Amino acid sequence: MGKSRRTVPEELLLLALDPTTGTTAQPQTLDLGLAGAQLVELSLAGRIVPEGDRIAVVLARPTGDPTLDHALELLRRRGSPVRAAHWIGGPRLGLRQTYLAHLERCGMVTAVPGQVCGVLPTIRYQASDDCTNAAIKQRLDTAIRTGVPPDPRTAALAALAHSVGLGKHLYPGNEGRSSRSRLRDLIRYDPLGGMVAHAVMDVQNGLPAQQNRSSQGSGAVSGRSGARAAGRASGGRVSAPRVGVR
């Protein structure tokens, strides 16, 4: 896989990066979204395919992207297809840090050291090319504004952005309400992206993955909840993963 095209996880993280604060929106759920985005990208690369409610490896050849290849190897080691919710809710927290370091190595973001309250060290991240971020957002804007079915990559990105709660970050306030609604509706244009996005939301909520989501136009996810893998639920939602980058 060449680097002429940004991957879905990279684009999701760049969308979440706040250009003013240098922090990521929705940090508690972004790790889950990035795990789901890896599944989407591996599918687009022809390495995995959905088998009913599961994900199966069909080509174990490395993509050339180290973060994706690590995920592919973990899937291969399973030896049998795995439910998307179980995979997303598994012990792979910390993907934000992994991808931020990856984006820094690729020159897409710049790490800016700082301090909290003048004492605690912290690192904030700034996109190296604002035009890149604007182009990613423009693809979503175009799909929302025109109603023309987007390509699978854009549809999956929209589904994942909705699933981790980036709608209010991308389209804030009352004026963004209709755009947030249309962002959610884009989920129907990519069955795999929709399945993965619903698996992300199931893990967040600690809910059993439903056997049939055809009424939501997004493909199926079934089986037990990813809550066991994600941790104990509290008040109907899984406990927020503790991560070190804000």
Side-chain angles (χ1 to χ4, degrees):
M1 177 183 298
K3 292 309 296 177
S4 60
R5 182 191 295 275
R6 293 174 299 275
T7 65
V8 176
E10 290 168 354
E11 292 193 328
L12 182 65
L13 183 53
L14 287 171
L15 278 178
L17 194 62
D18 190 309
T20 302
T21 66
T23 61
T24 54
Q26 300 302 115
Q28 296 177 346
T29 57
L30 195 53
D31 277 334
L32 302 177
L34 290 170
Q38 287 184 318
L39 294 181
V40 171
E41 189 62 44
L42 287 172
S43 175
L44 290 170
R47 288 348 189 240
I48 63 174
V49 296
E51 287 190 358
D53 63 334
R54 296 173 183 267
I55 299 296
V57 175
V58 293
L59 181 61
R61 188 179 69 208
T63 66
D65 182 304
T67 52
L68 289 175
D69 289 342
H70 178 65
L72 179 61
E73 177 61 15
L74 291 177
L75 284 166
R76 186 193 65 80
R77 290 177 186 174
R78 293 291 184 97
S80 60
V82 59
R83 287 189 174 93
H86 288 185
W87 169 259
I88 290 166
R92 279 173 306 283
L93 301 179
L95 279 179
R96 273 191 310 137
Q97 293 94 320
T98 298
Y99 267 101
L100 283 168
H102 170 72
L103 291 181
E104 185 181 10
R105 288 193 301 270
C106 293
M108 296 188 199
V109 301
T110 302
V112 182
Q115 291 182 327
V116 176
C117 300
V119 178
L120 299 176
T122 186
I123 297 179
R124 300 182 183 277
Y125 293 86
Q126 299 293 336
S128 301
D129 183 2
D130 290 337
C131 293
T132 296
N133 284 26
I136 298 171
K137 172 89 167 14
Q138 182 61 38
R139 284 171 32 220
L140 298 184
D141 292 345
T142 299
I144 287 172
R145 183 179 67 253
T146 64
V148 175
D151 62 274
R153 183 175 295 273
T154 301
L157 180 63
L160 288 162
H162 167 71
S163 73
V164 299
L166 287 182
K168 290 185 178 180
H169 167 69
L170 298 171
Y171 304 103
N174 288 333
E175 65 276 14
R177 183 177 301 174
S178 63
S179 293
R180 293 194 298 270
S181 177
R182 292 171 185 167
L183 179 72
R184 178 195 63 215
D185 291 343
L186 292 177
I187 200 170
R188 69 183 185 272
Y189 290 114
D190 181 53
L192 177 67
M195 181 187 77
V196 169
H198 278 295
V200 169
M201 290 185 282
D202 284 339
V203 174
Q204 290 178 54
N205 295 324
L207 297 174
Q210 297 299 312
Q211 187 72 10
N212 185 356
R213 293 189 179 276
S214 59
S215 62
Q216 299 184 44
S218 63
V221 180
S222 67
R224 293 182 179 274
S225 165
R228 178 183 299 177
R232 293 185 176 179
S234 174
R237 300 184 65 87
V238 296
S239 299
R242 301 183 68 84
V243 289
V245 180
R246 300 188 64 186

